Protein backbone atom coordinates (compact mmCIF):
# COMPACT_ATOMS: atom_id res chain seq x y z
CA UNK A 1 0.00 0.00 0.00
CA UNK A 2 1.60 3.29 -1.05
CA UNK A 3 2.34 5.59 1.85
CA UNK A 4 2.65 2.69 4.31
CA UNK A 5 6.15 2.59 5.79
CA UNK A 6 6.00 -1.15 6.50
CA UNK A 7 4.92 -1.89 2.91
CA UNK A 8 7.93 0.20 1.79
CA UNK A 9 10.17 -1.97 4.01
CA UNK A 10 8.66 -5.11 2.41
CA UNK A 11 9.30 -3.76 -1.11
CA UNK A 12 12.85 -2.68 -0.21
CA UNK A 13 12.07 1.03 -0.67
CA UNK A 14 12.71 1.80 3.02
CA UNK A 15 15.57 0.45 5.14
CA UNK A 16 15.20 -2.09 7.93
CA UNK A 17 17.42 -4.39 9.94
CA UNK A 18 15.86 -7.71 8.99
CA UNK A 19 15.77 -10.76 11.23
CA UNK A 20 13.97 -13.23 8.97
CA UNK A 21 11.56 -13.36 6.08
CA UNK A 22 9.63 -15.90 4.08
CA UNK A 23 6.87 -15.58 1.47
CA UNK A 24 4.31 -14.52 4.09
CA UNK A 25 6.10 -12.73 6.93
CA UNK A 26 8.91 -10.27 7.56
CA UNK A 27 10.57 -9.62 10.93
CA UNK A 28 12.82 -6.61 11.56
CA UNK A 29 14.15 -4.58 14.49
CA UNK A 30 12.02 -1.76 15.84
CA UNK A 31 13.79 1.56 15.28
CA UNK A 32 12.79 2.76 18.75
CA UNK A 33 13.31 -0.40 20.81
CA UNK A 34 11.86 -0.77 24.27
CA UNK A 35 14.56 -3.38 25.03
CA UNK A 36 17.54 -4.58 22.99
CA UNK A 37 16.26 -6.91 20.29
CA UNK A 38 12.69 -5.49 20.20
CA UNK A 39 11.43 -6.94 16.92
CA UNK A 40 8.32 -6.42 14.80
CA UNK A 41 6.74 -9.27 12.81
CA UNK A 42 4.45 -8.25 9.96
CA UNK A 43 2.48 -9.96 7.22
CA UNK A 44 4.00 -8.93 3.89
CA UNK A 45 0.57 -8.19 2.49
CA UNK A 46 -0.93 -5.00 3.86
CA UNK A 47 -3.67 -5.29 6.51
CA UNK A 48 -4.24 -2.17 8.54
CA UNK A 49 -5.55 -3.68 11.78
CA UNK A 50 -7.03 -6.91 13.20
CA UNK A 51 -10.39 -6.10 11.61
CA UNK A 52 -8.63 -6.19 8.25
CA UNK A 53 -6.51 -9.31 8.92
CA UNK A 54 -7.32 -12.80 7.65
CA UNK A 55 -7.48 -15.04 10.76
CA UNK A 56 -5.31 -17.73 9.17
CA UNK A 57 -2.68 -15.07 8.51
CA UNK A 58 -3.05 -13.93 12.12
CA UNK A 59 -2.21 -17.48 13.22
CA UNK A 60 0.89 -17.44 11.00
CA UNK A 61 1.86 -14.06 12.43
CA UNK A 62 1.67 -15.48 15.95
CA UNK A 63 3.66 -18.56 14.89
CA UNK A 64 6.39 -16.18 13.64
CA UNK A 65 6.40 -14.30 16.95
CA UNK A 66 6.44 -17.57 18.89
CA UNK A 67 9.47 -18.74 16.92
CA UNK A 68 11.26 -15.42 17.51
CA UNK A 69 10.58 -15.56 21.26
CA UNK A 70 12.17 -19.03 21.31
CA UNK A 71 15.10 -17.78 19.22
CA UNK A 72 15.66 -14.84 21.58
CA UNK A 73 16.15 -17.27 24.47
CA UNK A 74 18.90 -18.89 22.40
CA UNK A 75 20.44 -15.68 21.03
CA UNK A 76 23.81 -14.13 21.88
CA UNK A 77 21.88 -11.72 24.12
CA UNK A 78 19.89 -14.51 25.75
CA UNK A 79 16.45 -13.42 26.93
CA UNK A 80 14.67 -15.02 29.87
CA UNK A 81 11.27 -14.33 28.31
CA UNK A 82 9.40 -12.00 25.96
CA UNK A 83 6.34 -9.81 25.74
CA UNK A 84 4.27 -10.36 22.58
CA UNK A 85 1.93 -7.49 21.87
CA UNK A 86 -0.36 -6.08 19.19
CA UNK A 87 -1.67 -2.54 19.46
CA UNK A 88 -4.90 -2.85 17.48
CA UNK A 89 -6.30 0.51 16.38
CA UNK A 90 -5.64 4.11 17.33
CA UNK A 91 -7.50 3.67 20.61
CA UNK A 92 -4.92 1.04 21.54
CA UNK A 93 -1.97 3.30 20.57
CA UNK A 94 -1.42 1.79 17.13
CA UNK A 95 0.71 4.34 15.27
CA UNK A 96 1.71 2.36 12.16
CA UNK A 97 -1.44 1.11 10.47
CA UNK A 98 -0.02 -2.11 9.05
CA UNK A 99 -0.61 -4.94 11.52
CA UNK A 100 2.54 -5.83 13.48
CA UNK A 101 3.34 -8.12 16.37
CA UNK A 102 5.85 -6.69 18.84
CA UNK A 103 8.24 -9.29 20.25
CA UNK A 104 10.06 -7.67 23.15
CA UNK A 105 12.81 -9.73 24.79
CA UNK A 106 12.92 -9.56 28.59
CA UNK A 107 15.51 -10.29 31.25
CA UNK A 108 14.68 -11.43 34.75
CA UNK A 109 14.59 -8.36 36.98
CA UNK A 110 14.54 -5.79 34.16
CA UNK A 111 11.11 -4.42 35.15
CA UNK A 112 12.46 -1.00 35.90
CA UNK A 113 14.44 -0.82 32.66
CA UNK A 114 11.38 -1.96 30.70
CA UNK A 115 9.18 0.74 32.23
CA UNK A 116 11.86 3.34 31.54
CA UNK A 117 12.26 1.90 28.07
CA UNK A 118 8.89 3.26 27.00
CA UNK A 119 10.29 6.74 27.55
CA UNK A 120 13.91 6.22 26.48
CA UNK A 121 13.53 3.86 23.51
CA UNK A 122 17.01 4.35 22.12
CA UNK A 123 18.42 2.11 19.40
CA UNK A 124 21.22 -0.29 20.30
CA UNK A 125 23.80 -1.57 17.84
CA UNK A 126 21.21 -2.79 15.31
CA UNK A 127 23.37 -5.08 13.14
CA UNK A 128 25.01 -6.74 16.15
CA UNK A 129 21.65 -7.17 17.86
CA UNK A 130 19.98 -8.62 14.74
CA UNK A 131 22.90 -11.03 14.21
CA UNK A 132 22.53 -12.24 17.81
CA UNK A 133 18.84 -13.06 17.28
CA UNK A 134 19.51 -14.72 13.92
CA UNK A 135 22.04 -16.92 15.74
CA UNK A 136 19.21 -17.87 18.10
CA UNK A 137 17.09 -18.90 15.09
CA UNK A 138 19.97 -21.06 13.80
CA UNK A 139 20.35 -22.70 17.21
CA UNK A 140 16.61 -23.35 17.39
CA UNK A 141 16.63 -24.97 13.92
CA UNK A 142 19.62 -27.13 14.93
CA UNK A 143 17.80 -28.24 18.11
CA UNK A 144 14.72 -29.12 16.06
CA UNK A 145 16.82 -31.13 13.60
CA UNK A 146 18.34 -33.09 16.52
CA UNK A 147 14.92 -33.72 18.04
CA UNK A 148 13.55 -35.07 14.76
CA UNK A 149 16.71 -37.02 13.80
P1 LIG B 1 2.56 0.70 17.36
O1 LIG B 1 2.37 1.73 18.45
O2 LIG B 1 2.21 -0.68 17.83
O3 LIG B 1 1.85 1.10 16.06
O4 LIG B 1 4.12 0.67 17.12
C1 LIG B 1 4.74 1.01 15.92
C2 LIG B 1 6.18 0.68 16.11
O5 LIG B 1 6.81 0.79 14.86
C3 LIG B 1 6.92 1.62 17.08
O6 LIG B 1 7.50 0.83 18.13
C4 LIG B 1 7.97 2.30 16.19
O7 LIG B 1 9.18 2.51 16.87
C5 LIG B 1 8.12 1.30 15.06
N1 LIG B 1 8.53 1.85 13.77
C6 LIG B 1 7.99 2.92 13.12
N2 LIG B 1 8.61 3.11 11.93
C7 LIG B 1 9.56 2.14 11.83
C8 LIG B 1 10.55 1.81 10.85
N3 LIG B 1 10.68 2.52 9.72
N4 LIG B 1 11.36 0.75 11.08
C9 LIG B 1 11.25 0.03 12.22
N5 LIG B 1 10.33 0.29 13.19
C10 LIG B 1 9.51 1.33 13.00
ZN1 LIG C 1 1.41 -1.66 4.70
Amino acid sequence: MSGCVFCRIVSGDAPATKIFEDDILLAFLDIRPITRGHTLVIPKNHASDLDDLNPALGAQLFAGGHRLAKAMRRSDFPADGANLLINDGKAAFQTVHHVHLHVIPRQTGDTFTFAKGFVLRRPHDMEHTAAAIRTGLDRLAAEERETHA
Side-chain angles (χ1 to χ4, degrees):
M1 191 198 204
S2 69
C4 169
V5 64
F6 288 177
C7 282
R8 289 209 306 277
I9 288 174
V10 171
S11 66
D13 294 320
T17 309
K18 294 182 184 177
I19 304 288
F20 77 76
E21 71 179 301
D22 58 22
D23 292 346
I24 311 289
L25 303 176
L26 173 65
F28 53 95
L29 291 181
D30 193 300
I31 39 164
R32 297 183 63 226
I34 289 170
T35 63
R36 180 193 282 268
H38 179 176
T39 298
L40 303 174
V41 192
I42 64 169
K44 285 187 166 176
N45 284 336
H46 184 91
S48 52
D49 58 19
L50 291 186
D51 217 27
D52 192 27
L53 184 71
N54 176 304
L57 190 48
Q60 285 174 294
L61 186 66
F62 180 79
H66 184 183
R67 191 159 187 81
L68 262 175
K70 291 181 75 170
M72 285 167 178
R73 283 174 168 80
R74 292 158 175 80
S75 87
D76 285 343
F77 298 112
D80 298 313
N83 291 101
L84 274 66
L85 169 79
I86 290 178
N87 294 327
D88 176 37
K90 269 190 190 150
F93 308 124
Q94 184 178 1
T95 59
V96 176
H97 296 279
H98 178 134
V99 171
H100 50 281
L101 176 62
H102 294 261
V103 184
I104 304 166
R106 300 295 307 275
Q107 306 281 345
T108 303
D110 72 358
T111 313
F112 180 62
T113 305
F114 183 65
K116 249 190 350 189
F118 272 109
V119 181
L120 290 177
R121 293 171 67 108
R122 55 189 157 69
H124 304 95
D125 170 359
M126 304 283 262
E127 271 313 324
H128 190 196
T129 303
I133 301 171
R134 286 192 293 261
T135 298
L137 280 171
D138 291 343
R139 287 176 184 149
L140 178 60
E143 263 178 44
E144 288 169 344
R145 277 196 301 276
E146 271 175 34
T147 310
H148 296 116

